[in-house]
């Protein structure tokens, strides 16, 4: 005589009880009481298969070498840097030796905005090595300004940044250089440069717009915050 088949639910309950009896009570993570945790293995790190085809620079990891900018080259025919560093060299001689700036050398020095020529030279430590870099800006007839940063490599002078902007204002933030320029659409562009061991490289680039809302007057002197008929805050 055959035994009656056991209900499926009873079979499942019996199986679960047997599993608990064998494994005992376990923690939510799967470890039993007093059982040591397995060692944590180190995560694998990327490894290039063709290192010569990879650019490890700050601005573009993974870019082909063919698209990478060549390293800055020392100026030919520039004065040598002596014990006094860049502050001791003749700045006009440095400008004459630079193909991108030499056109301004004949314009001479200027002491106020609105004129054409070289602004007074400025020296700041932008590379963090304790030595000062030379910053030269020249205003052109077009209203644009060319700016170059020079650093010293031994006795040689190397340009590590060249840029041109309209109504250029320059600031330093620690060892970084912040350049503000005005665009034709009324916006202001703020570009921040940081030394990457080879050149001054862009680390942030922001464009800001300043436009009046309907019903707001933009030519008035600064006033307390107020709202227009639309409930918007006038700038």
């Amino acid at each position: 005589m055959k035994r009656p088949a056991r209900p499926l639910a009873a079979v499942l309950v019996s199986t679960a009880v047997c599993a608990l009896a064998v494994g005992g009570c376990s923690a939510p993570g799967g470890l039993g009481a007093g059982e040591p945790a397995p060692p944590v293995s180190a995560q694998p790190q990327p490894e290039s298969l063709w290192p010569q085809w990879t650019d490890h620079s700050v601005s573009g990891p993974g870019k082909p070498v063919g698209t990478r900018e060549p390293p800055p080259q020392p100026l030919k025919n520039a004065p040598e840097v002596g014990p006094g560093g860049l502050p001791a060299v003749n700045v006009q001689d440095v400008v004459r030796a630079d193909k991108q700036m030499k056109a301004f050398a004949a314009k001479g020095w200027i002491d106020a905005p609105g004129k054409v020529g070289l602004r007074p030279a400025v020296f700041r430590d932008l590379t963090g090595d304790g030595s000062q870099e030379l910053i030269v800006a020249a205003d052109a007839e077009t209203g644009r300004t060319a700016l170059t940063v020079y650093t010293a490599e031994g006795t040689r002078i190397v340009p590590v940044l060249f840029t041109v902007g309209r109504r250029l204002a320059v600031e330093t933030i620690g060892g970084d250089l912040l350049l503000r320029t005005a665009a034709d659409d009324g916006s202001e562009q703020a570009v921040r440069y940081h030394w990457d061991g080879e050149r001054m490289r862009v680390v942030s680039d922001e464009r800001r717009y300043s436009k009046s809302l309907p019903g707001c007057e933009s030519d008035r002197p600064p006033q307390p915050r107020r709202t227009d008929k639309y409930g918007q805050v006038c700038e």
Side-chain angles (χ1 to χ4, degrees):
M1 183 174 180
K2 291 185 177 181
R3 292 183 178 182
R6 298 174 65 185
L8 178 60
V11 174
L12 294 177
V13 171
S14 176
T15 303
V17 171
C18 292
L20 290 174
V22 173
C25 296
S26 61
L31 297 176
E35 183 178 353
V40 178
S41 60
Q43 295 298 316
Q45 298 297 320
E47 181 179 354
S48 176
L49 300 182
W50 296 278
Q52 294 182 4
W53 273 261
T54 304
D55 175 16
H56 294 286
S57 66
V58 176
S59 65
K63 287 184 179 179
V65 172
T67 63
R68 182 182 179 183
E69 296 177 81
Q73 298 299 313
L75 294 176
K76 296 181 180 180
N77 303 319
E80 289 190 351
V81 180
L86 286 173
V89 302
N90 187 309
V91 176
Q92 209 155 8
D93 289 343
V94 176
V95 175
R96 290 193 189 98
D98 189 346
K99 293 180 179 179
Q100 299 185 101
M101 296 290 289
K102 67 179 181 180
F104 297 99
K107 304 293 184 181
W109 299 98
I110 57 176
D111 56 4
K115 301 179 181 180
V116 176
L118 295 166
R119 299 182 186 181
V122 177
F123 299 91
R124 293 288 187 277
D125 180 9
L126 301 177
T127 61
D129 63 354
S131 299
Q132 293 185 315
E133 275 60 54
L134 166 61
I135 307 171
V136 176
D139 295 332
E141 295 89 344
T142 59
R144 295 185 177 276
T145 300
L147 179 139
T148 303
V149 176
Y150 303 93
T151 192
E153 290 185 358
T155 60
R156 302 179 301 176
I157 299 176
V158 182
V160 293
L161 172 64
F162 173 77
T163 186
V164 178
R166 179 171 171 265
R167 291 169 55 190
L168 182 67
V170 186
E171 304 170 5
T172 54
I173 304 177
D176 291 358
L177 200 63
L178 182 65
L179 275 59
R180 302 182 187 275
T181 56
D184 295 334
D185 60 1
S187 65
E188 178 191 72
Q189 186 176 13
V191 183
R192 186 167 178 168
Y193 294 86
H194 180 79
W195 175 249
D196 72 349
E198 185 176 75
R199 56 166 49 86
M200 299 298 294
R201 196 176 293 276
V202 175
V203 292
S204 68
D205 187 345
E206 298 180 359
R207 186 177 294 275
R208 302 171 183 173
Y209 293 86
S210 177
K211 293 184 179 180
S212 299
L213 295 172
C216 298
E217 300 174 21
S218 60
D219 57 349
R220 295 183 59 184
Q223 300 289 329
R225 291 172 64 89
R226 61 189 181 85
T227 58
D228 61 14
K229 60 182 179 181
Y230 300 100
Q232 302 292 328
V233 177
C234 294
E235 298 294 340

